[in-house]
Amino acid sequence: LVSYVSKLNLETIVDIQAIIEKAQVASCSQSDVELKILKIFAISSAFPELPFQITDASRNENESKEGEITVGLDTRLNHRVIDLRTPASQAIMRIKAKTALLFANFLDNEGFVGIQTPKLLGGASEGGSSVFNLEYFGRPACLAQSPQLYKQMLAACADFDKVYEIGPVFRAEDSNTRRHLCEFTGMDLEMSIKEHYFEVLDLFGRLFNHIFATLQQQCATELQTISQVYPFEPFLFLKDGPLRISFAEGIQLLREYGITEEQQGAFDDLSTENEKILGDIVKQKFCTDFFIMDKYPLSIRPFYTMPDPITYYDPKCPPEQHLSNSFDMFMRGQEIVSGAQRIHDYKLLLERVHFCHTSASHGGPKPESIQSYLDAFKYGAFPHGGGGIGLERVVMLFTATTNIRKTSFFPRDPTRISP
């Protein structure tokens, strides 16, 4: 039996017939029993030469010792099915699956309806150039950048009231950073508003606190496994509800830190670097890795974003200083949610569509390319709001994994479309 087993290649799939006996085996996760093997059968033999050894890919990436072999990310991704066998990769993907399940279950219990929206579109939902264009039976089309327009139509116009979707999102952004993918899993929600758009923020806050607390409680083993390969500090969040600050207050915190107007304009979108700086400031000042920032400048938000009525209708307020009922949410200094109250009034929506499309700095879609969306608001629409979450980015930041590609089963970026 020993001779037979010694000739099996690593990663060969075997069936074992054995007796469970009491034992003390300190080096195993199951330390109080062992298997006394009676028979062993090779079910599927692995090739003798593996792309890399599971042991080499399971070492702490920050503490490799002299002479030890480490496995680079490209090698891992080129042979993804082997990399996914490592304990850390298994743990990451199980946390990812749990996160999506917690999202859906929480919203189900809140009375939301799960939806499935088209991914083949006749026009871009967000506008701009970051769309994958294709031919659809002789007509131009594109892959969906988000379910944005359809989830609004269903929640506000079709009387579903509260909806959510978990599905693929496509972004043709030629970005090779550690936090961007060309295809990722979006977790979107949209809901009617009864009195104030803070109802959306309240729900998001309860949703994320539920996800964070449950992951820490139910996935402690997986988090420990990940930390042995990718060491990280436990994720901090405020148990009584997330911190909220306004965009202006965020800018003020950056000013106090020393970020000048030239480095970050008061009405410009935050750069990636300044997002991370703000995240560090918030963590030091408020002891949290998670916070919400709202009242963003209108000029940097999509056409369907509801303007802040105080500034938008104030004749003395310059257009570049108009604010909006919109928000972003951050984990460890990186954006994970973009959301807002949406425009439900047809005339105002049409006004904003035309303005954003003709504004060189905004780049909104052509009105005719989203005509069916616009028409839906002619017949009465509830006030509503929502947001979109990137699942892979949430998992990356919760576990402080160094690259978002590690949280995607088969990542797609500008240089990778296989395997």
Side-chain angles (χ1 to χ4, degrees):
L1 186 63
V2 173
S3 175
Y4 173 74
V5 171
S6 66
K7 295 176 182 178
L8 295 176
N9 297 324
L10 291 175
E11 296 303 303
T12 290
I13 306 299
V14 298
D15 267 355
I16 295 175
Q17 182 180 338
I19 298 172
I20 300 175
E21 295 184 338
K22 291 184 178 181
Q24 294 298 320
V25 190
S27 61
C28 295
S29 57
Q30 195 72 35
S31 59
D32 56 348
V33 295
E34 66 179 5
L35 296 178
K36 181 180 179 180
I37 298 176
L38 303 178
K39 297 179 181 179
I40 186 167
F41 304 93
I43 302 303
S44 177
S45 296
F47 276 36
E49 295 295 329
L50 294 172
F52 53 83
Q53 299 297 325
I54 302 298
T55 302
D56 295 335
S58 300
R59 293 194 175 99
N60 186 318
E61 67 174 6
N62 297 330
E63 297 180 2
S64 58
K65 299 176 182 178
E66 186 176 353
E68 286 185 341
I69 297 173
T70 57
V71 183
L73 182 60
D74 279 343
T75 301
R76 290 174 180 268
L77 297 181
N78 288 340
H79 307 280
R80 188 61 165 148
V81 293
I82 302 298
D83 182 51
L84 287 170
R85 297 181 185 182
T86 63
S89 292
Q90 286 276 316
I92 289 170
M93 294 309 171
R94 293 178 189 278
I95 287 177
K96 180 180 179 180
K98 187 71 171 181
T99 302
L101 184 64
L102 290 171
F103 173 84
N105 287 347
F106 180 90
L107 295 178
D108 281 337
N109 291 332
E110 291 285 331
F112 280 68
V113 178
I115 59 172
Q116 301 80 38
T117 60
K119 304 310 168 194
L120 288 169
L121 305 181
S125 57
E126 309 287 346
S129 59
S130 59
V131 295
F132 287 104
N133 295 302
L134 52 89
E135 184 179 300
Y136 186 75
F137 298 103
R139 290 170 287 170
C142 66
L143 295 177
Q145 296 166 293
S146 79
Q148 181 61 47
L149 307 189
Y150 290 97
K151 66 176 182 171
Q152 284 186 251
M153 293 162 70
L154 291 170
C157 306
D159 288 358
F160 281 96
D161 190 45
K162 297 185 285 189
V163 301
Y164 74 89
E165 178 174 13
I166 301 174
V169 174
F170 303 92
R171 300 284 172 88
E173 297 175 350
D174 191 7
S175 179
N176 291 284
T177 72
R178 295 184 176 189
R179 65 185 196 134
H180 285 97
L181 291 171
C182 293
E183 179 184 354
F184 61 91
T185 305
M187 300 192 299
D188 279 80
L189 66 88
E190 204 75 18
M191 57 184 280
S192 64
I193 295 171
K194 309 306 180 187
E195 295 183 6
H196 196 282
Y197 86 97
F198 277 4
E199 295 164 26
V200 182
L201 275 69
D202 292 340
L203 181 127
F204 264 114
R206 291 189 291 111
L207 168 64
F208 273 108
N209 269 29
H210 172 69
I211 291 174
F212 298 152
T214 307
L215 288 178
Q216 289 184 346
Q217 179 182 9
Q218 297 185 7
C219 299
T221 300
E222 287 82 359
L223 291 169
Q224 176 64 25
T225 298
I226 295 168
S227 69
Q228 292 172 358
V229 181
Y230 310 118
F232 64 91
E233 295 181 3
F235 188 80
L236 299 178
F237 63 100
L238 302 179
K239 304 301 189 294
D240 294 332
L243 171 73
R244 293 187 195 176
I245 61 174
S246 68
F247 187 86
E249 289 170 333
I251 293 295
Q252 182 58 35
L253 289 173
L254 290 172
R255 294 285 184 266
E256 293 171 1
Y257 180 81
I259 302 299
T260 65
E261 175 72 24
E262 290 72 25
Q263 294 170 314
Q264 175 63 59
F267 295 92
D268 296 334
D269 205 1
L270 294 184
S271 66
T272 299
E273 181 181 357
N274 286 336
E275 280 185 0
K276 292 179 180 178
I277 292 173
L278 181 59
D280 291 339
I281 295 171
V282 166
K283 183 173 183 178
Q284 184 176 18
K285 191 176 180 70
F286 301 102
C287 297
T288 181
D289 286 313
F290 177 63
F291 68 97
I292 301 172
M293 189 158 66
D294 82 321
K295 290 295 181 184
Y296 271 68
L298 182 62
S299 61
I300 59 175
R301 306 302 277 199
F303 70 88
Y304 45 75
T305 304
M306 178 65 79
D308 165 54
I310 295 176
T311 57
Y312 191 70
Y313 294 109
D314 181 358
K316 296 180 181 179
C317 184
E320 63 272 14
Q321 295 183 16
H322 288 169
L323 302 180
S324 64
N325 291 355
S326 66
F327 56 89
D328 281 354
M329 301 185 185
F330 298 85
M331 292 174 62
R332 300 191 196 265
Q334 295 190 46
E335 175 203 325
I336 50 114
V337 175
S338 184
Q341 179 182 357
R342 324 300 188 182
I343 297 172
H344 60 275
D345 178 78
Y346 175 75
K347 291 182 179 179
L348 178 58
L349 181 59
L350 201 61
E351 174 187 312
R352 292 297 300 163
V353 168
H354 282 284
F355 175 83
C356 292
H357 176 60
T358 56
S359 172
S361 61
H362 212 287
K366 296 179 181 179
E368 57 270 24
S369 72
I370 55 170
Q371 192 60 52
S372 60
Y373 164 79
L374 296 174
D375 288 344
F377 288 84
K378 290 180 178 179
Y379 315 113
F382 288 99
H384 61 289
I389 308 166
L391 173 58
E392 286 82 1
R393 191 175 290 188
V394 169
V395 175
M396 176 186 74
L397 294 170
F398 189 76
T399 62
T401 307
T402 54
N403 196 303
I404 197 169
R405 291 157 184 80
K406 296 174 183 177
T407 68
S408 174
F409 283 102
F410 298 100
R412 294 292 180 260
D413 60 32
T415 64
R416 183 174 293 278
I417 198 169
S418 177

